[in-house]
Amino acid sequence: MKIAIPKESHPGELRVATTPDIVKKLKGFGFDVIVETGAGNGASITDDDFKSAGATIAKDADATFKSANVVLKVGAPSEDELKKIKKGAVVVAHLGILGNKKDANKYAKAGITTFAMELMPRISRAQSMDILSSQSNLAGYKAVLDAASEYGSAMPMMMTAAGTIAPAKVFIMGVGVAGLQAIATAKRLGAVVTATDVRPATREQVESLGGKFLTVDEEMEREAETEGGYAKQMPPEYFEKQKQVVAEHIKKQDIVITTALIPGRAAPVLVTSEMVASMHTGAVIIDLAVEAGGNVEGAKLGKVVETKNGVKIVGHENVPSRLASDASKLFAKNLLNFLSPHVNEEKKTIEFDWEDETVSGTCITRDGKIVHSMFAGPAGQKKPEKNKEKDA
């Protein structure tokens, strides 16, 4: 069985879907691993590194995809790549399917089996397969470093012979994986950290990391979390109250990092232009939700915007890719952990168990049909039987 790892086609994507260590494990299962030349360059992995691990280096995308049974990618396949992937092949990647639902039809038409890893169920057994958590963790860390780089003052308190430098005040909005890592990183750098989230259960997590929790409305926040652990869409009155509380708090902050995302929806606006205007010259805002529309009014994807009052709004695209080496290592391990339980080592194949939550929860298309419950296939489509069977 052949597993292909192409060079990512999305502009600016530096990550790669596997590493030499993972190649060795895949080879240990008896699989042939084909890596496109230059695929790991952005993550500081050379072709020789992959070759030493046992991979075959393909000269181009055509040679990489040719006769591959499984394709491992970071991002969704492009139109050109879809033409190269053979019918019946399995594609495992971050498909971004909730924001691109029409792509499901393309995958079904191409006759490929697709797994959207961002839909991994929030169950304890799947934590090691959760690409959103692994990549968000790094994004939260990098956000603080980016803020420190843009901020023109020191982060920790410094007592010197010439006087005392006050610590930076950092405000984290959204306490998911990225937010928690941002809190921990900012505290390690010596900042005074406050944080807020619609989910009251995060208060204890914030305080355990040394931050102070900013409450908006305890009553409404009790119903703010889904069974899967994600934030719910809050009513308009909550956001009105949030604006009032945050507007007063944000005036005193040096750095604000926003991380609020709702799966399948545009990111909620948390910081208005009026709030930005109330901040002091030299303050920095990092919008980690800018790719989903942004939490901050005035944020621009891929840009650092400086406002009239001297506040910098940072909207870097694809923040995990800014730490491509570690991001690739974690992403590759997530994919391996997803595939490993379904490896038939005797036959040297992958046989997916369609009753497994991690499989049924992420599979978008199969046998030319859209099979995920969140996406409606053409009328009258019959879903495949849910038996164990060999797919690759």
Side-chain angles (χ1 to χ4, degrees), residues 312-325:
K312 290 183 179 179
I313 305 174
V314 181
H316 289 310
E317 184 177 4
N318 194 358
V319 175
S321 186
R322 292 167 61 79
L323 293 169
S325 181

Side-chain angles (χ1 to χ4, degrees), residues 321-352:
S321 186
R322 292 167 61 79
L323 293 169
S325 181
D326 285 331
S328 296
K329 290 175 185 176
L330 297 181
F331 193 97
K333 192 62 181 295
N334 290 147
L335 300 193
L336 177 70
N337 291 336
F338 171 64
L339 295 174
S340 293
H342 309 287
V343 172
N344 185 321
E345 295 191 49
E346 184 178 338
K347 296 181 181 179
K348 298 180 181 180
T349 58
I350 294 176
E351 299 177 1
F352 289 107

Side-chain angles (χ1 to χ4, degrees), residues 9-29:
S9 57
H10 185 80
E13 180 58 78
L14 301 178
R15 292 171 293 175
V16 62
T18 198
T19 63
D21 284 343
I22 302 303
V23 168
K24 291 177 183 177
K25 294 182 185 299
L26 294 173
K27 291 290 291 183
F29 291 138

Side-chain angles (χ1 to χ4, degrees), residues 116-137:
M117 292 296 288
E118 70 272 19
L119 299 183
M120 186 62 63
R122 285 292 179 92
I123 55 177
S124 58
R125 182 169 58 85
Q127 287 179 359
S128 65
M129 312 173 194
D130 189 349
I131 63 167
L132 294 184
S133 291
S134 72
Q135 303 303 290
S136 294
N137 187 53

